Amino acid sequence: MYQLIQRLRSCVLSGPFSHSKTYRNIRFIQSGVEATTSSTAGRVIPCKAAVAWKAGKPLKIETVEVAPPQVNEVRIKVKYTSVCHTDLYFWNGKGQPAFPRILGHEGAGIVESVGEGVSDLKVGDHVLPVFTGECGECPHCKSEESNMCDLLKVNPGMTVMLNDGKSRFSINSIPINHFMNTSTFTEYTVVHSGCVVKINPQAPLDKVCILSCGITTGLGAALNVAKPKKCSSVAVFGLGAVGLAAAEGARIAGASRIIGVDMNAKKYEGAKKFGVTEFVNPKEHDKPVQQVIAEITNGGVDRSIECTGDVNAMVSAFECVREGWGVAVLCGVPSTGTFFQTSPFNMINERTLKGTAFGNYKPKTDLPSLVDMYMSKKLELDKFISHRVPFSDINKAFDYMVKGDGIRCIISMED
């Protein structure tokens, strides 16, 4: 195709149409072909990445080599990323230790090149890399009820690419481990195409990057799973980013009473911006918080959403919903090996307990609509962003998270 266009261009330039609309169209076609290729396609790209070498130690900005994408893979130029509690958890070594590693799983960028077999993405597409994927072929992907892709379901212990079991990152030939299918703390990353979501190119990447994990999880827990009715009551356990997103979802759904449950009273004022109407601090009561909520709501809330991962909070979230129609949704991630107990009568009395991962959203199918919600001002993302730092100061973003200061810190890869 490219050679054909060059011959046509040569003929037009030497003929009577050299200044005509025909020439302008040929130039347009030529530029379109050039836009589908990249000057770095097929080459190893050296770039800056924040590498976690040891548990709990500051990330170190290193020059890493990023290999080209292989079959069903996409190489992305990361523009913006942010820090989530999951990054903090694995950075501290609480998850499977796999150092050295490039963390990060909330990000946004632009496709630099694609590997063989990738047909739904092209160079220049604006995308969100997502920690959980959508292969489109497994029973879960074909089901309207599940987003738990058999091939690309989140696996924090996965440190290499599916295609060949190797890393695409290296420093002086030493492999650097991947993280959560994404690894966004780097100027360039390689991701399975099933974990890459094409979005509206007009959407600001420094805002919509936070839809790659926590905000979407909380929002979907409310809108897709709890599904509160208008004028209903909702209790949200944990007022971090996920919990505030759950409150936002309850507000969008029309809930009239949104009770925030958290042991940090300083969070209440900020939570009002997300629809929280009242606050309960378990430390201020001498009885279980589920009893407190049942008393102030005359029997329990219609819906509850647990966003902490604490098993005691999970029990409280379930037991605080109303008999007959109450629904409790768990979206916080508990520590491995933990369990909780509750009386079977809580279910016999027609309370429902549900769980959700990533808010029950299928990433490739559903995330573009969330971006469109933001663009149409139906979803407010700006209020989740509390800090901004350049990539060189990425450790400040971790400090904010450790101290519980703010909600989301946007890291600009180019500042």
Side-chain angles (χ1 to χ4, degrees):
M1 174 65 78
Y2 184 81
Q3 289 80 4
L4 174 61
I5 289 173
Q6 291 298 317
R7 289 199 295 272
L8 287 170
R9 180 176 181 273
S10 177
C11 292
V12 171
L13 285 173
S14 61
F17 304 106
S18 59
H19 300 290
S20 69
K21 181 180 179 180
T22 302
Y23 175 53
R24 292 195 299 272
N25 287 342
I26 293 291
R27 290 186 64 189
F28 175 77
I29 294 171
Q30 182 184 19
S31 66
V33 172
E34 291 174 344
T36 64
T37 61
S38 167
S39 62
T40 50
R43 302 180 183 178
V44 172
I45 296 178
C47 71
K48 299 296 183 183
V51 179
W53 290 98
K54 294 182 179 180
K57 299 298 182 181
L59 304 184
K60 187 176 180 181
I61 303 296
E62 305 274 14
T63 297
V64 302
E65 292 187 332
V66 184
Q70 303 301 309
V71 176
N72 295 327
E73 295 175 1
V74 179
R75 189 160 60 184
I76 300 168
K77 180 177 176 59
V78 180
K79 304 288 284 186
Y80 299 94
T81 186
S82 61
V83 177
C84 168
H85 270 286
T86 303
D87 298 307
L88 187 68
Y89 183 82
F90 281 87
W91 170 70
N92 277 325
K94 295 179 179 178
Q96 298 93 331
F99 302 103
R101 203 170 198 180
I102 297 176
L103 300 171
H105 64 286
E106 285 190 351
I110 299 173
V111 173
E112 175 272 336
S113 60
V114 301
E116 180 183 345
V118 178
S119 59
D120 62 329
L121 297 161
K122 65 181 185 302
V123 174
D125 282 346
H126 287 213
V127 295
L128 300 178
V130 183
F131 68 91
T132 185
E134 185 178 351
C135 73
E137 299 296 330
C138 72
H140 288 278
C141 286
K142 291 181 178 180
S143 167
E144 294 182 356
E145 300 180 20
S146 173
N147 66 344
M148 305 293 287
C149 176
D150 285 336
L151 179 67
L152 300 168
K153 182 170 62 176
V154 60
N155 179 4
M158 187 75 171
T159 60
V160 293
M161 298 301 293
L162 281 174
N163 181 53
D164 58 3
K166 296 180 180 179
S167 174
R168 300 291 176 261
F169 304 116
S170 64
I171 298 177
N172 298 325
S173 299
I174 299 173
I176 306 298
N177 290 317
H178 290 252
F179 177 67
M180 297 279 283
N181 294 333
T182 51
S183 289
T184 59
F185 293 167
T186 171
E187 292 176 318
Y188 286 89
T189 189
V190 178
V191 181
H192 192 287
S193 62
C195 295
V196 181
V197 179
K198 181 179 177 179
I199 61 171
N200 184 344
Q202 301 301 316
L205 296 179
D206 64 326
K207 306 291 180 60
V208 298
C209 65
I210 62 175
L211 289 173
S212 294
C213 182
I215 307 307
T216 299
T217 296
L219 194 72
L223 294 176
N224 297 337
V225 188
K227 298 179 181 179
K229 297 179 180 180
K230 288 186 177 181
C231 300
S232 63
S233 58
V234 179
V236 177
F237 286 73
L239 296 178
V242 177
L244 293 175
E248 179 79 353
R251 181 191 67 79
I252 292 172
S256 60
R257 191 173 184 183
I258 303 174
I259 303 169
V261 183
D262 201 291
M263 290 190 288
N264 185 352
K266 294 180 180 179
K267 292 183 177 181
Y268 180 42
E269 281 303 314
K272 291 180 180 179
K273 296 188 297 183
F274 300 86
V276 174
T277 58
E278 54 199 286
F279 183 79
V280 173
N281 187 339
K283 295 191 300 183
E284 297 178 353
H285 300 274
D286 57 2
K287 63 183 70 174
V289 69
Q290 54 265 45
Q291 292 183 22
V292 175
I293 293 173
E295 290 172 3
I296 65 176
T297 58
N298 192 29
V301 289
D302 301 304
R303 302 288 187 267
S304 72
I305 305 170
E306 194 286 321
C307 306
T308 71
D310 180 84
V311 293
N312 293 317
M314 291 179 178
V315 173
S316 297
F318 179 47
E319 295 182 354
C320 80
V321 297
R322 185 179 297 273
E323 292 182 355
W325 62 79
V327 178
V329 177
L330 310 183
C331 64
V333 180
S335 299
T336 303
T338 55
F339 302 90
F340 67 80
Q341 291 182 329
T342 188
S343 170
F345 282 102
N346 287 319
M347 290 186 175
I348 293 172
N349 292 338
E350 300 183 3
R351 294 181 176 94
T352 300
L353 179 64
K354 292 185 175 183
T356 181
F358 199 53
N360 211 39
Y361 285 111
K362 294 179 185 287
K364 292 176 81 73
T365 298
D366 298 326
L367 275 194
S369 64
L370 286 187
V371 173
D372 291 340
M373 279 182 65
Y374 170 71
M375 296 297 286
S376 63
K377 302 186 185 306
K378 294 179 181 178
L379 172 63
E380 300 175 17
L381 293 179
D382 301 59
K383 60 189 179 184
F384 288 94
I385 300 170
S386 53
H387 300 85
R388 291 178 179 272
V389 297
F391 187 39
S392 58
D393 286 337
I394 188 171
N395 287 300
K396 285 186 178 180
F398 274 77
D399 290 340
Y400 294 139
M401 182 68 68
V402 169
K403 296 175 182 176
D405 185 6
I407 305 171
R408 277 295 183 265
C409 177
I410 303 299
I411 301 162
S412 174
M413 306 302 293
E414 297 181 337
D415 291 346

